[in-house]
Amino acid sequence: MQQNIYIICPPSKATGGPEALHQLGYILNTLGYNAKMLYSKYKKDPVHPFYKNYNVPYVRKIKDSAENVMIIPESMTNLIAKYPLSQKKVWWLSLDFYEVLMNSREKKKNWIRKLLVPYKHTEYRFEPNKTVTHWYQSQRTKEFLLTQNHENDIAYLCDYVTELFFDNLPNIHHFPKENIITYNPKKGLDKIEKYMALLPQYNWIPLSGMTREQMRDTLRKTKLHVDFGYFPGRDKIPREALISGVCLLTGRDGTSAFKEDLGIPEKYKLHTDEMQPEKVTELINHTMNNYDDVFAEFLDFRTFVMNEKDSMIENTKKLFNKK
């Protein structure tokens, strides 16, 4: 009897986590499995336009059964208790949202609920549970899972940069580069603004309010992407930038500190105390004036990122062929 695989996902949301979940559904169905999205809230059309091309069918509710495999993002581990019979795979796409959202849900419980449900676990804190397996997307998360007191299996599974960024991808020496620096205005903007003022000779473009095609086309013209914000998981934009021939300059908060998660040369990953105006402006100027030489230093990790879809397919096969 074929297993039913259900991937729990927030509806109508376009961020790195939901995209990874849809990618997994797409790969599983391509491999001949029966995977469906199970959206966590009712919406008339829960599939975000960005993810319709993955063609993963969806259901609105299911019956708990030992035949089911539930894939649960770490942000929704409170749902583990809802499906006691099903096999549950917790996919850790970020470490931080686990604690943040768990604490948020706890605060929202009113006193009546706390009185009526005093003993039942509605949040998951690594209690013994043989129906749970963990998948980690980053080395940082792997190291966290190894410190927790549990006996559940853990395994690696990482998502990939969507095909859009590979469409008509120019040869590495034929990107139409301009003196553009991109940044994500939602991340670390306070740390970047001073350099925008110090280096007005460059065209600083925020990656917001764009279609995905516009973002891809902008990155293909960009020489440098600066991200001094926090990396909760293996963030998408830096990987999309690498595919598009862009050099990176980042901080070291979150996963960016780990070479397995962001394997760019260490000199382009700055500790907070290294973010002095002279040092940063010198690095930016060097990159912008010597783009070809600097980008050559990023090629090894770019190759790794370009192969992530093949790696995800192979890792998915391994995870689901295990008895």
Side-chain angles (χ1 to χ4, degrees):
M1 185 175 173
Q2 190 181 34
Q3 291 175 319
N4 293 310
I5 302 170
Y6 299 104
I7 302 169
I8 300 179
C9 182
S12 307
K13 214 170 186 188
T15 57
E19 175 149 51
L21 295 163
H22 285 85
Q23 287 176 340
L24 179 58
Y26 164 75
I27 285 174
L28 283 166
N29 288 334
T30 303
L31 292 172
Y33 291 93
N34 180 26
K36 295 184 173 76
M37 306 305 294
L38 174 59
Y39 293 103
S40 56
K41 291 178 185 167
Y42 179 82
K43 282 249 174 131
K44 192 172 179 186
D45 183 5
V47 187
H48 192 280
F50 284 3
Y51 309 138
K52 289 187 186 290
N53 62 319
Y54 290 115
N55 293 315
V56 186
Y58 67 87
V59 291
R60 298 201 182 272
K61 57 182 179 180
I62 63 153
K63 184 182 177 188
D64 187 32
S65 160
E67 298 299 321
N68 294 347
V69 177
M70 311 295 301
I71 293 160
I72 303 174
E74 87 299 325
S75 57
M76 298 182 187
T77 46
N78 58 310
L79 297 176
I80 286 174
K82 188 175 178 179
Y83 303 103
L85 301 176
S86 302
Q87 299 173 52
K88 291 163 288 287
K89 317 289 185 185
V90 180
W91 194 10
W92 294 78
L93 296 162
S94 152
L95 190 51
D96 309 86
F97 295 141
Y98 165 66
E99 285 284 354
V100 167
L101 292 171
M102 185 162 64
N103 293 338
S104 167
R105 287 189 294 262
E106 285 288 321
K107 280 179 186 169
K108 284 178 186 168
K109 285 182 188 170
N110 62 31
W111 67 271
I112 298 172
R113 181 164 168 72
K114 285 179 179 172
L115 202 66
L116 292 175
V117 201
Y119 302 111
K120 185 182 175 185
H121 289 300
T122 55
E123 294 294 346
Y124 176 69
R125 292 184 172 84
F126 295 93
E127 297 86 2
N129 190 331
K130 289 182 177 166
T131 65
V132 173
T133 304
H134 296 284
W135 299 339
Y136 57 90
Q137 186 230 30
S138 68
Q139 178 70 18
R140 176 177 176 244
T141 302
K142 178 185 179 183
E143 294 186 11
F144 164 77
L145 291 172
L146 290 172
T147 66
Q148 299 307 300
N149 187 22
H150 69 91
E151 294 178 359
N152 310 81
D153 287 343
I154 69 170
Y156 174 71
L157 186 68
C158 184
D159 58 320
Y160 59 91
V161 172
T162 183
E163 275 90 347
L164 178 82
F165 286 86
F166 291 88
D167 288 350
N168 302 311
L169 190 67
N171 176 286
I172 197 70
H173 301 296
H174 294 96
F175 283 103
K177 294 300 178 189
E178 299 173 20
N179 274 344
I180 295 172
I181 302 174
T182 53
Y183 61 96
N184 181 352
K186 296 176 185 171
K187 280 183 67 190
L189 182 60
D190 54 324
K191 295 178 184 173
I192 293 173
E193 282 177 323
K194 70 174 89 169
Y195 304 111
M196 295 167 67
L198 287 168
L199 298 166
Q201 67 269 39
Y202 303 123
N203 184 8
W204 295 77
I205 297 181
L207 294 175
S208 63
M210 297 181 180
T211 66
R212 300 192 112 187
E213 288 80 5
Q214 288 169 332
M215 189 163 148
R216 174 198 64 194
D217 296 344
T218 299
L219 285 171
R220 288 185 181 180
K221 293 186 289 187
T222 298
K223 288 184 177 178
L224 175 65
H225 179 71
V226 178
D227 188 338
F228 290 152
Y230 187 83
F231 281 60
R234 295 214 30 226
D235 286 23
K236 271 273 165 69
I237 292 177
R239 289 188 276 160
E240 292 165 351
L242 280 172
I243 298 294
S244 308
V246 182
C247 305
L248 300 177
L249 183 61
T250 74
R252 287 180 177 268
D253 290 331
T255 59
S256 57
F258 293 80
K259 69 177 187 299
E260 295 90 345
D261 301 332
L262 188 67
I264 64 174
E266 294 296 313
K267 64 183 173 186
Y268 300 110
K269 298 201 281 189
L270 302 178
H271 292 281
T272 304
D273 59 4
E274 293 179 293
M275 290 182 192
Q276 307 302 331
E278 308 80 38
K279 183 178 179 71
V280 175
T281 53
E282 183 187 343
L283 265 172
I284 291 174
N285 282 325
H286 174 71
T287 301
M288 299 302 280
N289 296 327
N290 303 278
Y291 163 78
D292 289 337
D293 292 339
V294 173
F295 191 67
E297 299 177 55
F298 290 82
L299 289 177
D300 284 351
F301 192 61
R302 180 180 189 257
T303 300
F304 178 83
V305 171
M306 289 184 78
N307 290 327
E308 281 177 334
K309 183 178 181 182
D310 290 341
S311 299
M312 187 176 181
I313 291 168
E314 289 309 310
N315 287 324
T316 302
K317 285 179 187 173
K318 286 179 198 167
L319 291 171
F320 282 85
N321 282 338
K322 285 180 181 173
K323 299 297 179 194

